[in-house]
Each structure stands twice: as structure tokens, then as C-alpha cells.
Amino acid sequence: MPRSKSKLRGEGKTELCFHVDPFSDDELVLRQAIQNAMEQTFGLTRAFTFFDFVSKDPQASEISISTAVIDASYFKAALAAYSGNYRFSFLREAKIPEPHSDE
């Protein structure tokens, strides 16, 4: 998978939380839906933008993903506009603190 240029720019990572309807506990199905949303909105170039699952909450039908700060707006736009089997509603964003190094 392509890596984000964020590492080069030192912009860090952010966590995005979405409500998913209908909720799926299968991470691979959700990952495919997210990639399909990115492809539908931005094409193949953005379809493979790197992200990780942070958490899933079946009771609240919420998922959290982490991605580079520079890529967060692409995920929010693509998932809001997605017309597939799942509906994603953006809930919140939180910057993930970077570990401090003693260099």
C-alpha cells in the first residue's frame, strides 16, 4: 500500500470516528467499503490510501480509523458521499499525539 507523505512533512496522525449503518463487525468488509468510497470519489490513486482500524463499537455502530493528518479530509469527504451498501456519518476527529524522542 502506498505510504502517505505525512511522515516526510512531520504532520502526524489523526483518528476519525464514524457511525456506520448497517454496522458490520467484519473488519475486511468495512475496509473494502472504505476503499470503495475512496475510489468512487477520488479514483484508484486514493483508493489505497493507508489507514488502520483503531476500534469498533457494535453497540453504538461506530468505527474509528487512524490515518495521516494530510489524508483525513479525503476520508471524511469520500465516506460522506459514498453511495454503496453502507452509510458513514462523520462524528469526530482527534489528533493522535506523537511519541516524544530524546534525540
Side-chain angles (χ1 to χ4, degrees), residues 4-102:
S4 172
K5 296 179 183 175
S6 173
K7 282 275 189 202
L8 301 174
R9 297 180 185 186
E11 294 178 11
K13 297 186 102 183
T14 188
E15 181 178 327
L16 305 174
C17 184
F18 295 92
H19 176 82
V20 183
D21 186 38
F23 185 79
S24 173
D25 204 29
D26 188 346
E27 193 172 297
L28 291 176
V29 169
L30 291 172
R31 183 175 291 277
Q32 182 180 15
I34 292 169
Q35 287 180 328
N36 288 344
M38 292 290 278
E39 180 181 0
Q40 175 184 309
T41 306
F42 299 110
L44 282 176
T45 310
R46 285 276 172 200
F48 297 104
T49 302
F50 180 78
F51 71 94
D52 279 326
F53 277 95
V54 176
S55 65
K56 295 181 292 194
D57 183 357
Q59 267 88 26
S61 298
E62 293 180 7
I63 62 166
S64 293
I65 63 171
S66 69
T67 188
V69 170
I70 197 170
D71 296 327
S73 60
Y74 293 103
F75 281 98
K76 290 188 285 188
L79 293 173
Y82 185 50
S83 63
N85 294 332
Y86 295 92
R87 186 178 358 225
F88 295 89
S89 302
F90 176 70
L91 299 174
R92 62 190 162 277
E93 179 175 358
K95 187 163 170 58
I96 298 173
E98 294 202 26
H100 296 287
S101 64
D102 296 332

